[in-house]
Amino acid sequence: MNVFFHGATRSVSGSLHVVEARGQRWLLDCGLFQGRRQDMYDRNAGVPVAPAQVTGVLLSHAHVDHSGRLPRLVKLGYRGPIYASPATLDLCALLLDDSAYVLRTQTRILNLRRAPRNLPPLPDLYGEEDVAQTLRQMVPVAWGTPVTLGPGLTAEFLPAGHILGASIIVLREQAGDAPCTLAFSGDIGRPGDWILPDPAVQAGVHHLIVESTYGDKTHRPYQYARAEFAKNVGATLRGGGIVVIPAFSVGRTQRVIYELHAMIAAGEVPPTPVFVDSPLSVEACIRFVNHADALRPLAHGVHSFAWLDAHNVVSSEESRLLRARPGPFVVITASGMCEAGRVLHHLKRALPDAHSRVVFVGFCAEDTLGRWLRDGHDSARINGDVVPVRAAIDQFDSFSSHADQLGLLDWVCAHGAARSVFLVHGEEPQTFALAEQLERRIAAEVIVPFSGEGFTLTPDGVHSIHQ
Ligand SMILES: [Zn+2]
């Protein structure tokens, strides 16, 4: 079996690895590169393998940095199968349409800059029709049921605990008497999560490809963050204020709704209306209810339809009315980094109000309004207006859906017999910090591949392919 690394190498976006075995060529993920507009366009325009030479795709989960280049592959002519868990397939129907819209907007901005320089307009990377064709090529695969990919090659999907439907993918090549097994982590979640299953461990794996997003970090124990969250949010609501929670539509929004329900049920937070003001987030909530079998049995006083219990705000008229509603209430809204969307209207109202609170529960990249507010500035520019910041600003990174360094070490070490561990999906400081810790704990060879690098894997070991 050969493996080649073409994305998320020493970085966190564009996840794509190629596995060659038994005359077949399979892609593990086909994710979108994220970054500066022109760079993003150029890197996402191509794929590393000619579509006609791809046997099939195995998709770990629906986040666009893992799935967002699939419609591009299809637009370039790929017509083979794309295997994914049923919930991943369902979430892709949401997220890839959204991705097509975002990419089209980006391309339009690029073209506005090209026109004065007499440069021809760039075509869209893909559109809704390519997304529809991608979804037609997707094949649902249940966790724990191996699928035959071709002669002598099987794949098994297992829960990864990162977002709804997120999977670890185990590839088995039967070559003579000695099978060779490779496990791809996708993104790994946190053991002991209230909603998502624990990341699975497969016995007898020879080689691992592992994410390293938080390879150098230790998350604050969740129960402490949760207690502080309940105390702060409860205080604001008792004082009649508004709590604005900017959150990503898939995963983080549902976690916050779940926590708020549990806190209200336990009397930690006063019973107050919780609004979800984002059509995409509301759609994602419906997916959570439809795929309850991919989640843990719900507990903590929360029943299985909690995600539909929140007051869903879909139309822009309803959203406008909500902005005029007096407190107390909670509104969970997108985007999580406050770059665009309805969150801007809610921030414009809440930020100047000393009785209100803005609660960040996720990562905010540099140069975003979310990061600006997290950094503690006393005013902010929103849609051209300068708004004073008097509301309280909280940050709770413990809501992360990625394992921290200890979680990653535990997961890798549980695969005691592995011969090699490839670290991907992390910036270099995070990845090398994890590599150093792993080298102290396991006998396996730890490799941080460069883009384009290839390796031959056998049951006994690994060696680099010099091209
Ligand atoms: Zn992810």
Side-chain angles (χ1 to χ4, degrees), residues 61 63 65-66 162-163 187 401-402 425:
H61 66 291
H63 278 153
D65 58 328
H66 296 258
H162 165 62
I163 60 162
D187 286 351
S401 59
H402 282 273
H425 203 285

Side-chain angles (χ1 to χ4, degrees), residues 357-381:
R357 182 176 294 275
V358 180
V359 182
F360 287 96
V361 290
F363 177 77
C364 289
E366 281 179 32
D367 303 324
T368 60
L369 175 59
R371 175 66 75 89
W372 176 264
L373 293 171
R374 286 178 62 130
D375 285 348
H377 294 276
D378 56 13
S379 67
R381 184 175 285 275

Side-chain angles (χ1 to χ4, degrees), residues 16-71:
L16 196 162
H17 319 299
V18 180
V19 174
E20 295 176 349
R22 307 295 301 254
Q24 304 165 44
R25 191 174 281 117
W26 288 83
L27 305 191
L28 295 173
D29 287 349
C30 190
L32 207 63
F33 284 107
Q34 288 152 320
R36 293 186 185 281
R37 220 169 264 129
Q38 183 67 57
D39 194 34
M40 192 172 158
Y41 184 93
D42 296 339
R43 297 187 79 188
N44 288 317
V47 284
V49 184
Q53 292 175 4
V54 177
T55 314
V57 182
L58 303 165
L59 176 63
S60 67
H61 66 291
H63 278 153
V64 292
D65 58 328
H66 296 258
S67 70
R69 231 181 330 158
L70 283 169

